[in-house]
Amino acid sequence: MSAPRPFGLLAELTYRCPLACAYCSNPIELARYDDELSTADWQRVFGEAAAMGVLQAHLSGGEPLLRRDLPELVRTACDLGMYTNLVTSAIGLSRPRAEALRAAGLDHVQVSVQADEPATSDRIAGIRSFDKKLEACRLVRELGWPLTVNVVLHRQNIERIGAIVDLVERLGADRVELANTQYYGWAWRNRSSLLPTREQLDRAEEVVTAARARLAGSMEVVHVLPDYYSRYPKPCMGGWAQRQLTVAPNGDALPCPAAQTLPLPRASVRDTGLDEIWTSAPLFTAYRGEDWMQEPCRTCDRREVDLGGCRCQAFQLTGDAAATDPVCHLSPEHGLVEDVVSEANRPARVDLELAPRPHR
């Protein structure tokens, strides 16, 4: 059976970033990504992606605005017929920079915001950035772009979720993503400081439900719950190497942004065409479909729904990337997740300080 064709490309243009967020899911060992793809390399990758049928190019990082060639890359993707989305902290989105991106054809901007007020936001981001982010959001709306505001939720800000939604509404955003932390990279190291309590999650769900009813038709409200509190896992990326792919700053091609942690051979766009990587690279074929599944996934009625869950999470928690995601209550390793949740909900628990993320 032939491989499905992807429709989305996450182009991680650089892992350099002005922020120091303790929930960052990018790799901890950044030195291996110092040798970034050139402008010509990225233009070739975009061309190969378009030839495969990719319709969306999400330009991310790190902070993609640190690439001086960003307008040129946007123009290339647009000329190839792809919808372009800038995923940014908005630090460095000056008016001249924004106007250059607008002229290049950028379709959409997604800005990350850490909280609803300066002190908390700046503490979480690691630098003074709150006012700059709000100014950038207003500039995005002034220039006519659709605006998505992404807020990573965790123990340090989730109780402000109502005020956060109010802020995003005032900014005139079309969409807000209230996404609980995924525990990879620095977020994994800081998990004990970031995982919310059940009580916090329940209150947040009430706020989101009310906000969706109030804002229906004017702003889309997306709420992503933490995997650790779910009865069943989410399907990994809509299926491993089924719909989307990622290219890291150094040219590594990945089925998902966290897949560099898996013990499988690397695949690089420096050496191999994107189509060949997608079709036959071991990193992409290893968990595509169902043949790799172990029990209880192999005979589970939900195997076509959640597809065994997240391979990277399974490897991180159990050391076996083919194991049933321990988030699933049917997993023989589910106790690993139950222990973490139990620890997060202890009444006498003391939060740790958020560790800053090194950046260059």
Side-chain angles (χ1 to χ4, degrees), residues 10 48 66 73 84 96 101 159 168 177 190 192 227 293 305 319 323 333:
L10 177 62
E48 293 176 356
L66 292 174
L73 297 179
T84 52
L101 291 169
E159 294 186 355
V168 176
E177 295 180 353
N190 289 299
S192 60
D227 289 356
M293 290 183 179
V305 177
E333 304 291 344

Side-chain angles (χ1 to χ4, degrees), residues 9-329:
L9 167 67
L10 177 62
E12 295 184 320
L13 302 180
T14 181
Y15 283 147
R16 290 173 287 146
C17 185
L19 304 186
C21 304
Y23 57 75
C24 183
S25 60
N26 283 342
I28 291 175
E29 297 178 358
L30 294 178
R32 62 178 290 191
Y33 301 95
D34 285 348
D35 185 16
E36 297 175 0
L37 294 179
S38 67
T39 304
D41 287 332
W42 276 115
Q43 290 173 322
R44 173 177 55 80
V45 168
F46 290 161
E48 293 176 356
M52 293 169 64
V54 168
L55 301 175
Q56 302 170 357
H58 303 279
L59 309 173
S60 181
E63 178 44 69
L65 287 167
L66 292 174
R67 291 279 304 217
R68 294 182 179 180
D69 58 356
L70 183 58
E72 190 174 351
L73 297 179
V74 168
R75 183 173 292 108
T76 296
C78 289
D79 288 346
L80 289 165
M82 289 190 281
Y83 183 89
T84 52
N85 174 35
L86 177 64
V87 183
T88 177
S89 70
I91 306 302
L93 189 63
S94 63
R95 180 174 292 274
R97 192 83 161 128
E99 289 177 345
L101 291 169
R102 195 77 178 99
L106 182 68
D107 293 301
H108 182 274
V109 179
Q110 175 179 310
V111 175
S112 67
V113 173
Q114 281 67 38
D116 63 291
E117 53 87 28
T120 304
S121 180
D122 294 348
R123 176 176 62 83
I124 293 171
I127 65 168
R128 293 181 63 180
S129 55
F130 180 76
D131 292 338
K132 293 178 181 178
K133 287 173 175 287
L134 266 55
E135 182 181 347
C137 287
R138 296 183 184 108
L139 178 59
V140 167
R141 298 303 291 144
E142 180 185 337
L143 293 180
W145 276 305
L147 171 64
T148 293
V149 173
N150 175 267
V151 185
V152 177
L153 297 175
H154 45 79
R155 193 180 187 95
Q156 308 294 325
N157 67 359
I158 193 168
E159 294 186 355
R160 302 290 304 172
I161 191 170
I164 289 171
V165 172
D166 291 343
L167 170 65
V168 176
E169 183 183 7
R170 292 196 302 273
L171 291 171
D174 302 280
R175 187 171 188 263
V176 59
E177 295 180 353
L178 304 165
N180 274 271
T181 303
Q182 299 297 309
Y183 294 100
Y184 307 106
W186 285 96
W188 171 258
R189 286 197 174 185
N190 289 299
R191 185 178 62 176
S192 60
S193 297
L194 297 172
L195 187 65
T197 66
R198 170 64 72 181
E199 184 180 0
Q200 286 178 316
L201 287 172
D202 289 345
R203 288 199 301 264
E205 183 66 25
E206 292 175 1
V207 172
V208 170
T209 299
R212 281 177 172 156
R214 180 173 60 84
L215 297 169
S218 61
M219 185 172 76
E220 182 182 2
V221 179
V222 178
H223 188 207
V224 181
L225 295 173
D227 289 356
Y228 284 36
Y229 283 91
S230 300
R231 184 172 172 81
Y232 296 104
K234 301 179 183 69
C236 183
M237 300 296 292
W240 188 265
Q242 294 286 321
R243 302 177 182 178
Q244 303 179 59
L245 73 159
T246 297
V247 176
N250 66 344
D252 284 353
L254 307 163
C256 82
Q260 67 267 68
T261 62
L262 300 184
L264 289 168
R266 302 297 92 190
S268 175
V269 298
R270 296 182 190 270
D271 308 318
T272 310
L274 200 59
D275 197 333
E276 182 179 344
I277 290 173
W278 174 265
T279 302
S280 57
L283 188 57
F284 283 74
T285 60
Y287 307 112
R288 183 181 275 150
E290 300 178 12
D291 291 344
W292 59 271
M293 290 183 179
Q294 303 175 4
E295 293 293 355
C297 292
R298 182 177 291 276
T299 56
C300 181
D301 291 341
R302 290 181 56 88
R303 66 184 180 278
E304 295 181 359
V305 177
D306 54 43
L307 309 174
C310 178
R311 297 302 88 224
C312 301
Q313 190 160 255
F315 177 71
Q316 191 168 52
L317 290 169
T318 73
D320 180 4
T324 299
D325 187 338
V327 162
C328 182
H329 76 286

